[in-house]
Amino acid sequence: MPAAPIVRHSLHESLVAPLREMILQGELKPGDKVPEEQLCERFGVSRTPIREALKVLAAEGVLQILPHRGAIVARITEEQVEELFPIMASLERLAGRLASAHASDADIARVRALHDRMIDHFEKGEEVEYLSHNRLIHEAFFDLAGNATLSAFYQQILTRIHACRFVMRKSREHWAAAVADHEKIIAALEARDGERLGDLLEVHVTGTTAGIARAFIARMKEEAQEVPAARARRNPSSLSA
């Protein structure tokens, strides 16, 4: 029998996934400069494979590579919210319907346990831990859907909008609204009501989550405007030219 072909991955390809995960986990935040030297030390590689991996992430829209500045983590824009969130909502709707049909009782119990831990972190004001469990719950719907292509599309879009889903700090009002959505979502899963679950997930993304994203963008704009104003207050002479 002929030998099966050996699939060889280049070094930079093996770096793309962990670098992407650093962004999804919030270790590298929107607007941050990617610290190439630190990454070389962390992964024990030279700058060349790191830079090749960064080019891949830039092609995905996750990073921006700027002349003379290197790579920075991309900031999401209002246009991307309007473009990407409806896509994400449609993916989550389908995942919810499929998960409801395919999940075992044990699967549903596992998602319920994640939800209960998430609520516990919410009540304690532990936002980092809350966001981590929030992400695990949404990923669980795609795992239970049993559709690899659907999951791949989800991960691709998620990486583009990571900052507004599972990294960004929320106002207390937005946080409470997200929790209320999740209570209904888990109840629909436990009832195996796929249509309602899909509807709730879609509304959650296009309503609550998109609202959080817009608030995040507005806050970033305000902070960007505050920087030159603060500099001007420290150095009034800079205003006269």
Side-chain angles (χ1 to χ4, degrees):
M1 295 179 63
I6 298 173
V7 179
R8 293 183 173 86
H9 296 285
S10 65
L11 181 56
H12 84 267
E13 288 175 321
S14 67
L15 292 168
V16 170
L19 289 173
R20 186 188 290 115
E21 191 63 19
M22 289 175 66
I23 295 170
L24 287 173
Q25 293 288 357
E27 190 172 346
L28 291 172
K29 295 179 173 58
D32 282 357
K33 188 177 186 304
V34 177
E36 291 186 14
E37 185 173 345
Q38 293 178 25
L39 292 176
C40 291
E41 294 177 1
R42 176 170 177 166
F43 295 108
V45 298
S46 67
R47 282 183 182 265
T48 298
I50 289 289
R51 288 177 174 173
E52 290 301 316
L54 296 180
K55 288 178 183 178
V56 173
L57 293 174
E60 294 178 1
V62 181
L63 302 175
Q64 293 175 298
I65 297 179
L66 306 177
H68 312 299
R69 287 189 57 192
I72 64 169
V73 181
R75 294 184 175 93
I76 194 165
T77 65
E78 293 167 338
E79 291 76 18
Q80 287 175 313
V81 170
E82 303 308 320
E83 178 181 333
L84 297 176
F85 275 71
I87 299 173
M88 174 64 82
S90 296
L91 295 176
E92 294 222 11
R93 179 187 180 90
L94 178 55
R97 292 174 61 187
L98 292 174
S100 181
H102 297 159
S104 66
D105 290 344
D107 292 330
I108 293 175
R110 178 171 60 86
V111 178
R112 161 57 77 176
L114 287 172
H115 171 78
D116 290 345
R117 288 197 291 273
M118 184 189 75
I119 296 301
D120 183 57
H121 291 306
F122 167 70
E123 291 173 346
K124 293 177 179 177
E126 298 169 342
E127 190 166 7
V128 173
E129 293 81 1
Y130 166 89
L131 290 169
S132 176
H133 282 79
N134 190 340
R135 179 183 168 192
L136 290 173
I137 290 169
H138 283 274
E139 289 181 338
F141 288 121
F142 286 87
D143 290 339
L144 297 177
N147 187 312
T149 302
L150 180 63
S151 294
F153 283 140
Y154 169 73
Q155 288 297 330
Q156 183 178 357
I157 300 297
L158 174 60
T159 308
R160 298 280 298 277
I161 63 174
H162 65 283
C164 301
R165 293 240 43 193
F166 307 121
V167 175
M168 190 201 76
R169 298 186 67 84
K170 302 171 177 60
S171 68
R172 191 69 188 181
E173 180 182 358
H174 278 138
W175 199 359
V179 167
D181 286 353
H182 268 264
E183 295 280 10
K184 297 174 185 176
I185 287 167
I186 295 301
L189 175 64
E190 292 178 327
R192 293 187 180 277
D193 188 340
E195 287 299 322
R196 176 165 171 74
L197 178 57
D199 289 346
L200 288 169
L201 285 166
E202 184 173 33
V203 170
H204 176 64
V205 175
T206 57
T208 303
T209 308
I212 292 169
R214 294 186 185 100
F216 177 55
I217 292 168
R219 187 156 64 248
M220 285 196 301
K221 286 183 176 180
E222 290 175 2
E223 291 174 355
Q225 292 171 352
E226 288 171 359
V227 170
R231 288 175 180 167
R233 287 194 295 271
R234 291 194 301 267
N235 185 17
S237 61
S238 64
L239 296 176
S240 59

